[in-house]
Amino acid sequence: MAPRRAAALRGGEQSLREHLIAAAGRLVAQRGVAGLTVREIARAAGVADGVLYNHFADKEELLAYALHAHVGAVEAEQEGAPPRPGEGTVEANLRAYLRRALALHAAILPAFAGLATQPKLLARLGELPAPLGGGQGLRAELAGYVRAEQRLGRVAASASPEAVATLVVGVCHDLVLGRLLDPSGPPPEPAPELVDALVATLLHGVAGPGAG
């Protein structure tokens, strides 16, 4: 093992590839992906610039893995677990899921600053499995929960799990989009009353008596 590599790993169990992803992930968490250079990542990892290209095709591939790992770590740090079918009430579970998803989106948002202007990085990220929801993504995770509740008879058979999941995740995207476009603005913090109203609308719909 070369001296620089040995110094960078400090005798730990991480492979050099994992070490590079972790170093890039720390930078991404601190400042997002905009403007990050190979030299900055190499310095953070304690290796020579060219070492990155021994393990990744380009900077974008490394940053994609770093973003992926960062998002997964943020999800693991969130309080509370996703709702479990058959436990509590469906209403409380949907409320907990929506609050958790909103908190997660707000927490990972800073790392995505500048991502929209980097199509090559977006393409690299799209090649990786979903970092959330156990690898299936938040939408599929929630749809699976609703589907399981249907099998238990706690959700109407006529309800569309995909529609419920799309509406919930769409709310999260809507509330954080303004912050993504204007990172200097306040973090998205929807009022509890709005969360309650969204869940009530999901459960009861909008049609009044006699509506056709």
Side-chain angles (χ1 to χ4, degrees):
M1 181 179 290
R4 283 189 74 87
R5 178 174 176 178
L9 295 180
R10 295 185 175 88
E13 294 300 322
Q14 274 188 324
S15 69
L16 183 52
R17 178 184 172 86
E18 292 168 339
H19 175 72
L20 292 170
I21 292 172
R26 288 190 293 272
L27 291 176
V28 165
Q30 292 167 7
R31 49 180 283 192
V33 297
L36 275 181
T37 66
V38 168
R39 175 166 294 183
E40 289 172 316
I41 297 171
R43 285 178 177 174
V47 299
D49 296 1
V51 169
L52 275 66
Y53 298 104
N54 294 333
H55 300 272
F56 302 94
D58 46 39
K59 181 185 72 172
E60 286 75 19
E61 184 184 19
L62 170 56
L63 287 179
Y65 277 99
L67 264 175
H68 190 278
H70 171 67
V71 171
V74 170
E75 182 183 33
E77 293 169 358
Q78 292 296 304
E79 292 185 6
R84 295 174 61 88
E87 296 183 1
T89 66
V90 173
E91 180 179 3
N93 288 344
L94 286 176
R95 185 179 294 111
Y97 191 97
L98 181 54
R99 287 175 175 162
R100 187 173 186 273
L102 283 168
L104 178 59
H105 278 77
I108 65 177
L109 187 63
F112 284 80
L115 183 61
T117 62
Q118 301 186 59
K120 189 174 180 180
L121 175 53
L122 278 170
R124 288 287 192 187
L125 194 59
E127 295 170 356
L128 301 179
L132 300 174
Q136 57 183 329
L138 292 181
R139 189 175 304 174
E141 180 186 51
L142 179 55
Y145 161 77
V146 175
R147 200 171 292 113
E149 293 285 24
Q150 282 181 318
R151 291 193 291 268
L152 295 172
R154 303 209 312 165
V155 168
S158 59
S160 167
E162 289 74 19
V164 172
T166 298
L167 288 169
V168 170
V169 174
V171 166
C172 296
H173 290 172
D174 178 69
L175 290 173
V176 303
L177 182 59
R179 178 78 189 283
L180 185 61
L181 297 175
D182 181 15
S184 63
E189 294 181 0
E193 295 80 7
L194 176 58
V195 173
D196 291 341
L198 288 167
V199 171
T201 301
L202 281 173
L203 288 174
H204 307 299
V206 298

PDB file of all heavy atoms in Angstrom, residues 135-170:
ATOM      1  N   GLY A 135     -34.380   1.147  -0.717  1.00  0.00           N
ATOM      2  CA  GLY A 135     -33.963   0.903  -2.084  1.00  0.00           C
ATOM      3  C   GLY A 135     -35.094   0.944  -3.090  1.00  0.00           C
ATOM      4  O   GLY A 135     -34.855   0.847  -4.292  1.00  0.00           O
ATOM      5  N   GLN A 136     -36.329   1.119  -2.619  1.00  0.00           N
ATOM      6  CA  GLN A 136     -37.457   1.160  -3.540  1.00  0.00           C
ATOM      7  C   GLN A 136     -37.975   2.570  -3.771  1.00  0.00           C
ATOM      8  O   GLN A 136     -38.750   2.811  -4.696  1.00  0.00           O
ATOM      9  CB  GLN A 136     -38.597   0.279  -3.018  1.00  0.00           C
ATOM     10  CG  GLN A 136     -39.086   0.662  -1.622  1.00  0.00           C
ATOM     11  CD  GLN A 136     -40.167  -0.278  -1.104  1.00  0.00           C
ATOM     12  OE1 GLN A 136     -40.941  -0.822  -1.879  1.00  0.00           O
ATOM     13  NE2 GLN A 136     -40.218  -0.467   0.203  1.00  0.00           N
ATOM     14  N   GLY A 137     -37.557   3.519  -2.938  1.00  0.00           N
ATOM     15  CA  GLY A 137     -38.031   4.892  -3.069  1.00  0.00           C
ATOM     16  C   GLY A 137     -39.227   5.138  -2.159  1.00  0.00           C
ATOM     17  O   GLY A 137     -39.964   4.214  -1.818  1.00  0.00           O
ATOM     18  N   LEU A 138     -39.414   6.394  -1.764  1.00  0.00           N
ATOM     19  CA  LEU A 138     -40.488   6.734  -0.830  1.00  0.00           C
ATOM     20  C   LEU A 138     -41.860   6.416  -1.399  1.00  0.00           C
ATOM     21  O   LEU A 138     -42.753   5.945  -0.694  1.00  0.00           O
ATOM     22  CB  LEU A 138     -40.413   8.214  -0.459  1.00  0.00           C
ATOM     23  CG  LEU A 138     -39.211   8.656   0.373  1.00  0.00           C
ATOM     24  CD1 LEU A 138     -39.302  10.153   0.664  1.00  0.00           C
ATOM     25  CD2 LEU A 138     -39.137   7.874   1.677  1.00  0.00           C
ATOM     26  N   ARG A 139     -42.048   6.694  -2.690  1.00  0.00           N
ATOM     27  CA  ARG A 139     -43.363   6.488  -3.292  1.00  0.00           C
ATOM     28  C   ARG A 139     -43.748   5.014  -3.268  1.00  0.00           C
ATOM     29  O   ARG A 139     -44.857   4.649  -2.868  1.00  0.00           O
ATOM     30  CB  ARG A 139     -43.373   7.030  -4.717  1.00  0.00           C
ATOM     31  CG  ARG A 139     -44.745   7.054  -5.354  1.00  0.00           C
ATOM     32  CD  ARG A 139     -44.694   7.719  -6.717  1.00  0.00           C
ATOM     33  NE  ARG A 139     -44.131   9.058  -6.634  1.00  0.00           N
ATOM     34  CZ  ARG A 139     -43.864   9.820  -7.695  1.00  0.00           C
ATOM     35  NH1 ARG A 139     -44.099   9.365  -8.915  1.00  0.00           N
ATOM     36  NH2 ARG A 139     -43.351  11.027  -7.541  1.00  0.00           N
ATOM     37  N   ALA A 140     -42.832   4.148  -3.682  1.00  0.00           N
ATOM     38  CA  ALA A 140     -43.124   2.717  -3.682  1.00  0.00           C
ATOM     39  C   ALA A 140     -43.277   2.190  -2.261  1.00  0.00           C
ATOM     40  O   ALA A 140     -44.098   1.303  -2.000  1.00  0.00           O
ATOM     41  CB  ALA A 140     -42.016   1.960  -4.412  1.00  0.00           C
ATOM     42  N   GLU A 141     -42.497   2.729  -1.337  1.00  0.00           N
ATOM     43  CA  GLU A 141     -42.593   2.299   0.058  1.00  0.00           C
ATOM     44  C   GLU A 141     -43.981   2.597   0.620  1.00  0.00           C
ATOM     45  O   GLU A 141     -44.615   1.736   1.248  1.00  0.00           O
ATOM     46  CB  GLU A 141     -41.529   3.006   0.895  1.00  0.00           C
ATOM     47  CG  GLU A 141     -41.551   2.634   2.369  1.00  0.00           C
ATOM     48  CD  GLU A 141     -40.573   3.459   3.182  1.00  0.00           C
ATOM     49  OE1 GLU A 141     -40.599   4.704   3.065  1.00  0.00           O
ATOM     50  OE2 GLU A 141     -39.782   2.859   3.928  1.00  0.00           O
ATOM     51  N   LEU A 142     -44.479   3.815   0.406  1.00  0.00           N
ATOM     52  CA  LEU A 142     -45.794   4.183   0.925  1.00  0.00           C
ATOM     53  C   LEU A 142     -46.895   3.420   0.201  1.00  0.00           C
ATOM     54  O   LEU A 142     -47.870   2.981   0.824  1.00  0.00           O
ATOM     55  CB  LEU A 142     -46.014   5.683   0.802  1.00  0.00           C
ATOM     56  CG  LEU A 142     -47.376   6.198   1.301  1.00  0.00           C
ATOM     57  CD1 LEU A 142     -47.623   5.760   2.739  1.00  0.00           C
ATOM     58  CD2 LEU A 142     -47.467   7.715   1.180  1.00  0.00           C
ATOM     59  N   ALA A 143     -46.766   3.252  -1.105  1.00  0.00           N
ATOM     60  CA  ALA A 143     -47.767   2.483  -1.848  1.00  0.00           C
ATOM     61  C   ALA A 143     -47.836   1.061  -1.302  1.00  0.00           C
ATOM     62  O   ALA A 143     -48.932   0.486  -1.181  1.00  0.00           O
ATOM     63  CB  ALA A 143     -47.433   2.476  -3.332  1.00  0.00           C
ATOM     64  N   GLY A 144     -46.704   0.491  -0.957  1.00  0.00           N
ATOM     65  CA  GLY A 144     -46.680  -0.841  -0.381  1.00  0.00           C
ATOM     66  C   GLY A 144     -47.386  -0.893   0.960  1.00  0.00           C
ATOM     67  O   GLY A 144     -48.088  -1.862   1.275  1.00  0.00           O
ATOM     68  N   TYR A 145     -47.193   0.167   1.757  1.00  0.00           N
ATOM     69  CA  TYR A 145     -47.882   0.241   3.053  1.00  0.00           C
ATOM     70  C   TYR A 145     -49.399   0.286   2.855  1.00  0.00           C
ATOM     71  O   TYR A 145     -50.141  -0.459   3.503  1.00  0.00           O
ATOM     72  CB  TYR A 145     -47.419   1.480   3.829  1.00  0.00           C
ATOM     73  CG  TYR A 145     -48.388   1.864   4.925  1.00  0.00           C
ATOM     74  CD1 TYR A 145     -48.416   1.152   6.110  1.00  0.00           C
ATOM     75  CD2 TYR A 145     -49.300   2.906   4.744  1.00  0.00           C
ATOM     76  CE1 TYR A 145     -49.336   1.466   7.104  1.00  0.00           C
ATOM     77  CE2 TYR A 145     -50.211   3.233   5.729  1.00  0.00           C
ATOM     78  CZ  TYR A 145     -50.226   2.509   6.902  1.00  0.00           C
ATOM     79  OH  TYR A 145     -51.142   2.809   7.883  1.00  0.00           O
ATOM     80  N   VAL A 146     -49.863   1.153   1.953  1.00  0.00           N
ATOM     81  CA  VAL A 146     -51.304   1.278   1.708  1.00  0.00           C
ATOM     82  C   VAL A 146     -51.866  -0.039   1.184  1.00  0.00           C
ATOM     83  O   VAL A 146     -52.957  -0.490   1.580  1.00  0.00           O
ATOM     84  CB  VAL A 146     -51.590   2.425   0.721  1.00  0.00           C
ATOM     85  CG1 VAL A 146     -53.078   2.482   0.381  1.00  0.00           C
ATOM     86  CG2 VAL A 146     -51.143   3.765   1.313  1.00  0.00           C
ATOM     87  N   ARG A 147     -51.137  -0.694   0.307  1.00  0.00           N
ATOM     88  CA  ARG A 147     -51.578  -1.966  -0.250  1.00  0.00           C
ATOM     89  C   ARG A 147     -51.715  -3.025   0.854  1.00  0.00           C
ATOM     90  O   ARG A 147     -52.665  -3.821   0.862  1.00  0.00           O
ATOM     91  CB  ARG A 147     -50.584  -2.417  -1.326  1.00  0.00           C
ATOM     92  CG  ARG A 147     -51.128  -3.430  -2.311  1.00  0.00           C
ATOM     93  CD  ARG A 147     -50.148  -3.649  -3.451  1.00  0.00           C
ATOM     94  NE  ARG A 147     -50.032  -2.452  -4.291  1.00  0.00           N
ATOM     95  CZ  ARG A 147     -48.949  -1.708  -4.397  1.00  0.00           C
ATOM     96  NH1 ARG A 147     -47.857  -2.004  -3.705  1.00  0.00           N
ATOM     97  NH2 ARG A 147     -48.938  -0.649  -5.183  1.00  0.00           N
ATOM     98  N   ALA A 148     -50.770  -3.026   1.795  1.00  0.00           N
ATOM     99  CA  ALA A 148     -50.838  -3.976   2.909  1.00  0.00           C
ATOM    100  C   ALA A 148     -52.036  -3.681   3.803  1.00  0.00           C
ATOM    101  O   ALA A 148     -52.689  -4.611   4.311  1.00  0.00           O
ATOM    102  CB  ALA A 148     -49.540  -3.911   3.717  1.00  0.00           C
ATOM    103  N   GLU A 149     -52.335  -2.396   4.005  1.00  0.00           N
ATOM    104  CA  GLU A 149     -53.512  -2.041   4.802  1.00  0.00           C
ATOM    105  C   GLU A 149     -54.798  -2.469   4.094  1.00  0.00           C
ATOM    106  O   GLU A 149     -55.789  -2.836   4.742  1.00  0.00           O
ATOM    107  CB  GLU A 149     -53.523  -0.533   5.088  1.00  0.00           C
ATOM    108  CG  GLU A 149     -52.406  -0.040   5.992  1.00  0.00           C
ATOM    109  CD  GLU A 149     -52.615  -0.389   7.465  1.00  0.00           C
ATOM    110  OE1 GLU A 149     -53.336  -1.370   7.759  1.00  0.00           O
ATOM    111  OE2 GLU A 149     -52.049   0.313   8.325  1.00  0.00           O
ATOM    112  N   GLN A 150     -54.801  -2.422   2.783  1.00  0.00           N
ATOM    113  CA  GLN A 150     -55.958  -2.913   2.037  1.00  0.00           C
ATOM    114  C   GLN A 150     -56.181  -4.395   2.302  1.00  0.00           C
ATOM    115  O   GLN A 150     -57.316  -4.842   2.491  1.00  0.00           O
ATOM    116  CB  GLN A 150     -55.763  -2.673   0.535  1.00  0.00           C
ATOM    117  CG  GLN A 150     -56.011  -1.247   0.089  1.00  0.00           C
ATOM    118  CD  GLN A 150     -55.823  -1.080  -1.411  1.00  0.00           C
ATOM    119  OE1 GLN A 150     -54.885  -1.619  -1.986  1.00  0.00           O
ATOM    120  NE2 GLN A 150     -56.713  -0.333  -2.043  1.00  0.00           N
ATOM    121  N   ARG A 151     -55.109  -5.145   2.320  1.00  0.00           N
ATOM    122  CA  ARG A 151     -55.244  -6.584   2.567  1.00  0.00           C
ATOM    123  C   ARG A 151     -55.771  -6.856   3.972  1.00  0.00           C
ATOM    124  O   ARG A 151     -56.427  -7.876   4.215  1.00  0.00           O
ATOM    125  CB  ARG A 151     -53.891  -7.284   2.368  1.00  0.00           C
ATOM    126  CG  ARG A 151     -53.425  -7.303   0.913  1.00  0.00           C
ATOM    127  CD  ARG A 151     -52.271  -8.266   0.709  1.00  0.00           C
ATOM    128  NE  ARG A 151     -51.053  -7.795   1.354  1.00  0.00           N
ATOM    129  CZ  ARG A 151     -50.125  -7.053   0.755  1.00  0.00           C
ATOM    130  NH1 ARG A 151     -50.293  -6.686  -0.501  1.00  0.00           N
ATOM    131  NH2 ARG A 151     -49.040  -6.684   1.407  1.00  0.00           N
ATOM    132  N   LEU A 152     -55.499  -5.938   4.901  1.00  0.00           N
ATOM    133  CA  LEU A 152     -55.996  -6.074   6.267  1.00  0.00           C
ATOM    134  C   LEU A 152     -57.408  -5.525   6.432  1.00  0.00           C
ATOM    135  O   LEU A 152     -57.988  -5.622   7.513  1.00  0.00           O
ATOM    136  CB  LEU A 152     -55.050  -5.351   7.240  1.00  0.00           C
ATOM    137  CG  LEU A 152     -53.635  -5.923   7.364  1.00  0.00           C
ATOM    138  CD1 LEU A 152     -52.761  -5.001   8.210  1.00  0.00           C
ATOM    139  CD2 LEU A 152     -53.675  -7.328   7.974  1.00  0.00           C
ATOM    140  N   GLY A 153     -57.931  -4.916   5.374  1.00  0.00           N
ATOM    141  CA  GLY A 153     -59.280  -4.372   5.430  1.00  0.00           C
ATOM    142  C   GLY A 153     -59.365  -3.006   6.086  1.00  0.00           C
ATOM    143  O   GLY A 153     -60.465  -2.529   6.389  1.00  0.00           O
ATOM    144  N   ARG A 154     -58.246  -2.350   6.279  1.00  0.00           N
ATOM    145  CA  ARG A 154     -58.256  -1.040   6.950  1.00  0.00           C
ATOM    146  C   ARG A 154     -58.256   0.113   5.951  1.00  0.00           C
ATOM    147  O   ARG A 154     -58.384   1.276   6.345  1.00  0.00           O
ATOM    148  CB  ARG A 154     -57.045  -0.909   7.885  1.00  0.00           C
ATOM    149  CG  ARG A 154     -56.967  -2.016   8.923  1.00  0.00           C
ATOM    150  CD  ARG A 154     -56.295  -1.609  10.195  1.00  0.00           C
ATOM    151  NE  ARG A 154     -55.028  -0.923  10.038  1.00  0.00           N
ATOM    152  CZ  ARG A 154     -54.434  -0.237  11.020  1.00  0.00           C
ATOM    153  NH1 ARG A 154     -55.022  -0.150  12.213  1.00  0.00           N
ATOM    154  NH2 ARG A 154     -53.268   0.343  10.827  1.00  0.00           N
ATOM    155  N   VAL A 155     -58.068  -0.179   4.682  1.00  0.00           N
ATOM    156  CA  VAL A 155     -58.156   0.809   3.607  1.00  0.00           C
ATOM    157  C   VAL A 155     -59.092   0.244   2.548  1.00  0.00           C
ATOM    158  O   VAL A 155     -59.046  -0.950   2.237  1.00  0.00           O
ATOM    159  CB  VAL A 155     -56.762   1.101   2.999  1.00  0.00           C
ATOM    160  CG1 VAL A 155     -56.886   1.893   1.706  1.00  0.00           C
ATOM    161  CG2 VAL A 155     -55.895   1.859   3.988  1.00  0.00           C
ATOM    162  N   ALA A 156     -59.948   1.108   2.010  1.00  0.00           N
ATOM    163  CA  ALA A 156     -60.932   0.666   1.017  1.00  0.00           C
ATOM    164  C   ALA A 156     -60.249  -0.003  -0.170  1.00  0.00           C
ATOM    165  O   ALA A 156     -59.207   0.464  -0.646  1.00  0.00           O
ATOM    166  CB  ALA A 156     -61.763   1.850   0.544  1.00  0.00           C
ATOM    167  N   ALA A 157     -60.857  -1.071  -0.648  1.00  0.00           N
ATOM    168  CA  ALA A 157     -60.302  -1.793  -1.790  1.00  0.00           C
ATOM    169  C   ALA A 157     -60.284  -0.933  -3.044  1.00  0.00           C
ATOM    170  O   ALA A 157     -59.479  -1.165  -3.949  1.00  0.00           O
ATOM    171  CB  ALA A 157     -61.102  -3.070  -2.037  1.00  0.00           C
ATOM    172  N   SER A 158     -61.167   0.069  -3.099  1.00  0.00           N
ATOM    173  CA  SER A 158     -61.240   0.935  -4.283  1.00  0.00           C
ATOM    174  C   SER A 158     -60.157   2.005  -4.305  1.00  0.00           C
ATOM    175  O   SER A 158     -59.948   2.659  -5.330  1.00  0.00           O
ATOM    176  CB  SER A 158     -62.610   1.611  -4.345  1.00  0.00           C
ATOM    177  OG  SER A 158     -62.830   2.395  -3.167  1.00  0.00           O
ATOM    178  N   ALA A 159     -59.458   2.198  -3.191  1.00  0.00           N
ATOM    179  CA  ALA A 159     -58.410   3.220  -3.129  1.00  0.00           C
ATOM    180  C   ALA A 159     -57.208   2.797  -3.962  1.00  0.00           C
ATOM    181  O   ALA A 159     -56.897   1.613  -4.076  1.00  0.00           O
ATOM    182  CB  ALA A 159     -57.983   3.462  -1.689  1.00  0.00           C
ATOM    183  N   SER A 160     -56.545   3.758  -4.547  1.00  0.00           N
ATOM    184  CA  SER A 160     -55.344   3.486  -5.339  1.00  0.00           C
ATOM    185  C   SER A 160     -54.098   3.754  -4.496  1.00  0.00           C
ATOM    186  O   SER A 160     -53.812   4.916  -4.171  1.00  0.00           O
ATOM    187  CB  SER A 160     -55.313   4.370  -6.583  1.00  0.00           C
ATOM    188  OG  SER A 160     -54.032   4.323  -7.192  1.00  0.00           O
ATOM    189  N   PRO A 161     -53.352   2.722  -4.106  1.00  0.00           N
ATOM    190  CA  PRO A 161     -52.123   2.951  -3.334  1.00  0.00           C
ATOM    191  C   PRO A 161     -51.142   3.864  -4.061  1.00  0.00           C
ATOM    192  O   PRO A 161     -50.481   4.707  -3.441  1.00  0.00           O
ATOM    193  CB  PRO A 161     -51.548   1.538  -3.162  1.00  0.00           C
ATOM    194  CG  PRO A 161     -52.737   0.637  -3.259  1.00  0.00           C
ATOM    195  CD  PRO A 161     -53.623   1.289  -4.278  1.00  0.00           C
ATOM    196  N   GLU A 162     -51.045   3.702  -5.393  1.00  0.00           N
ATOM    197  CA  GLU A 162     -50.124   4.538  -6.165  1.00  0.00           C
ATOM    198  C   GLU A 162     -50.542   6.005  -6.122  1.00  0.00           C
ATOM    199  O   GLU A 162     -49.697   6.902  -6.037  1.00  0.00           O
ATOM    200  CB  GLU A 162     -50.050   4.050  -7.608  1.00  0.00           C
ATOM    201  CG  GLU A 162     -49.320   2.733  -7.799  1.00  0.00           C
ATOM    202  CD  GLU A 162     -50.127   1.522  -7.321  1.00  0.00           C
ATOM    203  OE1 GLU A 162     -51.377   1.655  -7.187  1.00  0.00           O
ATOM    204  OE2 GLU A 162     -49.527   0.471  -7.079  1.00  0.00           O
ATOM    205  N   ALA A 163     -51.853   6.262  -6.178  1.00  0.00           N
ATOM    206  CA  ALA A 163     -52.332   7.642  -6.131  1.00  0.00           C
ATOM    207  C   ALA A 163     -52.062   8.263  -4.775  1.00  0.00           C
ATOM    208  O   ALA A 163     -51.633   9.425  -4.680  1.00  0.00           O
ATOM    209  CB  ALA A 163     -53.830   7.688  -6.451  1.00  0.00           C
ATOM    210  N   VAL A 164     -52.309   7.513  -3.705  1.00  0.00           N
ATOM    211  CA  VAL A 164     -52.038   8.019  -2.358  1.00  0.00           C
ATOM    212  C   VAL A 164     -50.559   8.373  -2.218  1.00  0.00           C
ATOM    213  O   VAL A 164     -50.195   9.458  -1.734  1.00  0.00           O
ATOM    214  CB  VAL A 164     -52.440   6.983  -1.288  1.00  0.00           C
ATOM    215  CG1 VAL A 164     -51.980   7.434   0.100  1.00  0.00           C
ATOM    216  CG2 VAL A 164     -53.945   6.772  -1.287  1.00  0.00           C
ATOM    217  N   ALA A 165     -49.688   7.464  -2.644  1.00  0.00           N
ATOM    218  CA  ALA A 165     -48.252   7.697  -2.521  1.00  0.00           C
ATOM    219  C   ALA A 165     -47.804   8.880  -3.362  1.00  0.00           C
ATOM    220  O   ALA A 165     -46.971   9.694  -2.934  1.00  0.00           O
ATOM    221  CB  ALA A 165     -47.492   6.439  -2.916  1.00  0.00           C
ATOM    222  N   THR A 166     -48.353   9.005  -4.565  1.00  0.00           N
ATOM    223  CA  THR A 166     -47.989  10.113  -5.445  1.00  0.00           C
ATOM    224  C   THR A 166     -48.408  11.441  -4.849  1.00  0.00           C
ATOM    225  O   THR A 166     -47.661  12.437  -4.903  1.00  0.00           O
ATOM    226  CB  THR A 166     -48.635   9.935  -6.826  1.00  0.00           C
ATOM    227  OG1 THR A 166     -48.136   8.725  -7.422  1.00  0.00           O
ATOM    228  CG2 THR A 166     -48.308  11.102  -7.743  1.00  0.00           C
ATOM    229  N   LEU A 167     -49.590  11.487  -4.246  1.00  0.00           N
ATOM    230  CA  LEU A 167     -50.061  12.727  -3.631  1.00  0.00           C
ATOM    231  C   LEU A 167     -49.183  13.123  -2.455  1.00  0.00           C
ATOM    232  O   LEU A 167     -48.818  14.298  -2.300  1.00  0.00           O
ATOM    233  CB  LEU A 167     -51.511  12.559  -3.178  1.00  0.00           C
ATOM    234  CG  LEU A 167     -52.559  12.516  -4.292  1.00  0.00           C
ATOM    235  CD1 LEU A 167     -53.908  12.069  -3.747  1.00  0.00           C
ATOM    236  CD2 LEU A 167     -52.686  13.878  -4.961  1.00  0.00           C
ATOM    237  N   VAL A 168     -48.827  12.166  -1.606  1.00  0.00           N
ATOM    238  CA  VAL A 168     -48.010  12.478  -0.433  1.00  0.00           C
ATOM    239  C   VAL A 168     -46.613  12.946  -0.845  1.00  0.00           C
ATOM    240  O   VAL A 168     -46.118  13.978  -0.376  1.00  0.00           O
ATOM    241  CB  VAL A 168     -47.909  11.248   0.493  1.00  0.00           C
ATOM    242  CG1 VAL A 168     -46.864  11.470   1.583  1.00  0.00           C
ATOM    243  CG2 VAL A 168     -49.266  10.960   1.131  1.00  0.00           C
ATOM    244  N   VAL A 169     -45.966  12.198  -1.737  1.00  0.00           N
ATOM    245  CA  VAL A 169     -44.620  12.587  -2.168  1.00  0.00           C
ATOM    246  C   VAL A 169     -44.682  13.883  -2.963  1.00  0.00           C
ATOM    247  O   VAL A 169     -43.781  14.731  -2.863  1.00  0.00           O
ATOM    248  CB  VAL A 169     -43.979  11.454  -2.989  1.00  0.00           C
ATOM    249  CG1 VAL A 169     -42.634  11.896  -3.561  1.00  0.00           C
ATOM    250  CG2 VAL A 169     -43.787  10.218  -2.125  1.00  0.00           C
ATOM    251  N   GLY A 170     -45.763  14.075  -3.735  1.00  0.00           N
ATOM    252  CA  GLY A 170     -45.919  15.323  -4.475  1.00  0.00           C
ATOM    253  C   GLY A 170     -46.015  16.526  -3.565  1.00  0.00           C
ATOM    254  O   GLY A 170     -45.477  17.602  -3.871  1.00  0.00           O
TER     255      GLY A 170
END
